[in-house]
Amino acid sequence: LGIKLSPKVTKAPKVAGLSEWLESTKRLDFVERDYASRLDLIAKVRGLHKAENYIEKIPKSSRGEVIYRTLLANCVATNNVKKAEEVFNKMKDLEFPMTSFACNQLLLLYKRLDRKKIADVLLLMENEKVKPTRFTYKILIDTKGKSNDITGMDQIVETMKAEGFELDFNTQAILAKHYVSSGLKEKAEGVLKEMEGGNLKDKRWACHALLPLYAALGKADEVGRIWKACESNPKIDDFMAAIEAWGNLNRIEEAEAVFDRMLKTYKRLSSKHYSTLLKVYANHKMLAKGKDLVKQMADCGCRIGPFTWDAIVKLYVEAGEVEKADSILQKSMQQNQMKPMFSSFMAIMDQYAKRGDVHNSEKIFYRMKQAGYVGRIRQFQALIQAYINAKAPAYGIRERMKADNIFPNKALVGQLPLVDAFRKTAVSDLLD
């Protein structure tokens, strides 16, 4: 079998049904990789719990490392720290060889959710003599960049080169992005020129990555030059990158012109493609234009998915209509039975937190749990901020964090004393 499935296909219950039929009718002799493909489908379509149950049905002879690493990858994809760690430890208990794939999955997870644990994984790799891969270094470079540790990031690049790895295009893009965000414009431009190579015409495929990076540097002329290089025959990714780039440069008319050309070039666009321009409108508080675009999408028969709802929510949030954004998100969940993006919830919750609106912050927090977003520091940071701004104690907040396996980072450690119900202040000491 060994079917390689795209993200869209793996979400289709019909494909899961076909896979189940092939196995149950024994039309094919399943080997471990076939079982792993089916496990991957079940995890994506029906969830981790069903996937775990399926493992018990796999013959022991086919229940090897590939099966468990497939489950591990799905745990990481859903940001389920507790379950990912359980699966990783299970693999150790079963005495499977320690692999760079399994370690990289944990690094990827901790990069997103708990960077303190990265050092533990690296120590384990060293002790188990697991050599870092190109992907390992890419994760570490991005982690250092996100922590604003540019010196540390550069050191990892040097180590990577010393180990015989050349910087690939994607790693260069990560470096450039972090140089830009740290204000190191000359370094960023140097990397971008390396990414372009001698002749951009020979690297047309690079345009979609270069456009937003030059825009982040505020280089409108360079964005125009890169767009001109691919304008004669742009790919769909080039169109989307150009719309994003012109939007970031506050050149709305140029962004709209690229979008209009994309509409003419591709007769049928998905909601993802419309969402690129929708985000531009959201970032510029252009509510009326955003509404018109959503209506245009509906008229074209576009399926409105999580990416579009995310853009719509942000459109209303940026326009100051938080309650409307909240209502839209709730209705989309009820009517479409879909799971909104994490960022959609957070866009609303952050605004409630700024107001010190504890009731609505708790409501969004609860909805996120219902949607399966559990055990993230970011949620607790926003919730606690709501209590801080309301000047109210957050009773039991430490216990709630413990129940969700949340270990406070530096920011949370600073927030917690401010919502402690029994906190002593200079005034309370005088009154005692």
Side-chain angles (χ1 to χ4, degrees), residues 358-415:
V358 170
H359 171 75
N360 279 314
S361 295
E362 285 280 13
K363 178 187 73 179
I364 298 295
F365 188 89
Y366 175 70
R367 278 196 207 148
M368 292 179 83
K369 277 200 157 190
Q370 283 186 312
Y373 294 115
V374 181
R376 296 198 187 187
I377 285 177
R378 180 79 175 79
Q379 292 161 268
F380 277 98
Q381 284 177 321
L383 182 63
I384 291 169
Q385 194 59 48
Y387 280 96
I388 291 171
N389 291 343
K391 296 180 172 57
Y395 294 101
I397 195 70
R398 292 176 190 269
E399 289 73 21
R400 289 169 68 180
M401 288 170 61
K402 192 174 179 181
D404 281 356
N405 291 305
I406 294 291
F407 299 95
N409 59 11
K410 191 175 179 181
L412 261 182
V413 167
Q415 284 180 307

Side-chain angles (χ1 to χ4, degrees), residues 192-193 196 210-219 222-223 225:
L192 288 174
K193 292 302 177 188
E196 282 190 48
L210 293 166
L211 285 163
L213 288 169
Y214 274 121
L217 282 169
K219 301 268 184 182
E222 293 297 313
V223 169
R225 177 177 66 83

